[in-house]
Amino acid sequence: MRVADSAWPVSLSPAEWNLPIRLSGSHGSRSEMAAGFKTVEPLEYYRKFLKENCRPDGRELGEFRTTTLNIGSITTADGSALVKLGNTTVVCGIKVEFATPTVDASNKGYIVPNVDLPPLCSSRFRPGPPGEQAQAASQFIFDVIENSQIIQKEDLCIEKGKLAWVVYCDMVCLDYDGNLLDACIIALLAALKNVQLPSVSISEETGLAEVNMNQKNQLNIRKHPVATTFAIFDDTIFIVDPTAEEETLASGMATIVIDEEDRLCAVHKPGGSGLSSEKLQDCIVRAQTRHREVHKLLTEVMKSVTPTINVKERK
């Protein structure tokens, strides 16, 4: 729907403006009025669009921004991936090291995720120790790894009680425009699938680790969790893949994590508006569809790079 050719009434207060869904680019004054309305009443500006089941960027309520994925972009890492979700950009680098298993878990290795939100990705973040959002994101990634069993820690054990792999998963946001968690999960999953570990054995004579760089193995990725984040407006309207602006205006947020068996791996609800059982079910259904979309993308990208990799999957 476009604006009629008649001039806009300028005597109305911002709350009385009846903002159209899309503005005609040929009328500069109308664009200026819309920009003014958005500045003065940003939430009302969004509500005008939401009532018409669309958003200011032209997307429908259940529509994701374009998702792009690049695997193996960091040559110095043991595995890496770069994900763009609209403008939001996250790169994940994997580094592996040897470690001694603990006494209580002598047959398990370690997975250590970390999310970094540097000032370069958005003016909302400051230099220094990790902020609250970065810490919460790191904890969320850790919980998803644990609950989904994306990798079983037993698979990281080289020699029980003697040697195991520790997998450091560092996710850095290069450009922040909302929906950080979804981008981090995709980047993590893709980077883990890109990891190539050398074959390692323990010498019976010396008791030291012997590394064979000519034989490499891929990690055994047991599950493929995918996150879907929703922003809640007025307790009733749910939109997927919110931008940074939409996150700020929303009355609540919710993230649903689903694996390839449609199993619910995690629900992240950091306060705000409540989530009824009916709405939760609706979100799960949309998350299942999103999983198929991401899994298809991941499969296509992996096929494009697999022929150049001479490795085998660990059993």
Side-chain angles (χ1 to χ4, degrees), residues 155-176:
D155 293 337
L156 300 176
C157 181
I158 299 172
E159 187 76 20
K160 184 177 180 179
K162 295 182 179 180
L163 195 64
W165 290 110
V166 52
V167 182
Y168 294 101
C169 311
D170 292 309
M171 287 146 279
V172 180
C173 183
L174 304 179
D175 191 349
Y176 184 89

Side-chain angles (χ1 to χ4, degrees), residues 144-220:
V144 169
I145 293 173
E146 291 288 319
N147 296 335
S148 68
Q149 291 294 296
I150 182 173
I151 293 178
Q152 291 192 358
K153 293 181 180 179
E154 290 83 354
D155 293 337
L156 300 176
C157 181
I158 299 172
E159 187 76 20
K160 184 177 180 179
K162 295 182 179 180
L163 195 64
W165 290 110
V166 52
V167 182
Y168 294 101
C169 311
D170 292 309
M171 287 146 279
V172 180
C173 183
L174 304 179
D175 191 349
Y176 184 89
D177 189 23
N179 204 2
L180 172 71
L181 300 182
D182 288 19
C184 282
I185 290 293
I186 298 174
L188 171 68
L189 182 58
L192 288 173
K193 292 180 74 68
N194 181 237
V195 170
Q196 303 173 49
L197 297 179
S199 178
V200 180
S201 60
I202 303 296
S203 173
E204 295 182 358
E205 298 179 356
T206 64
L208 300 177
E210 296 181 345
V211 181
N212 183 1
M213 297 301 295
N214 294 323
Q215 181 181 356
K216 294 189 176 183
N217 306 304
Q218 288 182 322
L219 287 172
N220 185 10

Side-chain angles (χ1 to χ4, degrees), residues 106-281:
S106 60
N107 64 333
K108 296 181 179 181
Y110 309 88
I111 306 178
V112 184
N114 181 68
V115 177
D116 186 18
L117 296 173
L120 68 87
C121 73
S122 173
S123 58
R124 70 175 63 190
F125 304 118
R126 295 289 182 266
E132 181 179 348
Q133 186 173 354
Q135 294 182 50
S138 297
Q139 183 61 49
F140 170 78
I141 300 297
F142 178 82
D143 293 339
V144 169
I145 293 173
E146 291 288 319
N147 296 335
S148 68
Q149 291 294 296
I150 182 173
I151 293 178
Q152 291 192 358
K153 293 181 180 179
E154 290 83 354
D155 293 337
L156 300 176
C157 181
I158 299 172
E159 187 76 20
K160 184 177 180 179
K162 295 182 179 180
L163 195 64
W165 290 110
V166 52
V167 182
Y168 294 101
C169 311
D170 292 309
M171 287 146 279
V172 180
C173 183
L174 304 179
D175 191 349
Y176 184 89
D177 189 23
N179 204 2
L180 172 71
L181 300 182
D182 288 19
C184 282
I185 290 293
I186 298 174
L188 171 68
L189 182 58
L192 288 173
K193 292 180 74 68
N194 181 237
V195 170
Q196 303 173 49
L197 297 179
S199 178
V200 180
S201 60
I202 303 296
S203 173
E204 295 182 358
E205 298 179 356
T206 64
L208 300 177
E210 296 181 345
V211 181
N212 183 1
M213 297 301 295
N214 294 323
Q215 181 181 356
K216 294 189 176 183
N217 306 304
Q218 288 182 322
L219 287 172
N220 185 10
I221 307 300
R222 296 179 178 269
K223 297 294 180 182
H224 297 75
V226 173
T228 303
T229 296
F230 301 83
I232 308 171
F233 283 81
D234 299 329
D235 299 334
T236 58
I237 302 175
F238 286 66
I239 64 174
V240 301
D241 185 23
T243 63
E245 184 176 43
E246 289 169 342
E247 288 180 349
T248 302
L249 298 174
S251 58
M253 300 286 295
T255 301
I256 311 295
V257 183
I258 299 289
D259 67 13
E260 60 267 40
E261 298 176 354
D262 289 340
R263 184 173 65 96
L264 184 63
C265 301
V267 176
H268 181 60
K269 182 68 178 66
S273 298
L275 188 62
S276 66
S277 57
E278 293 81 9
K279 285 294 185 181
L280 176 59
Q281 188 58 44

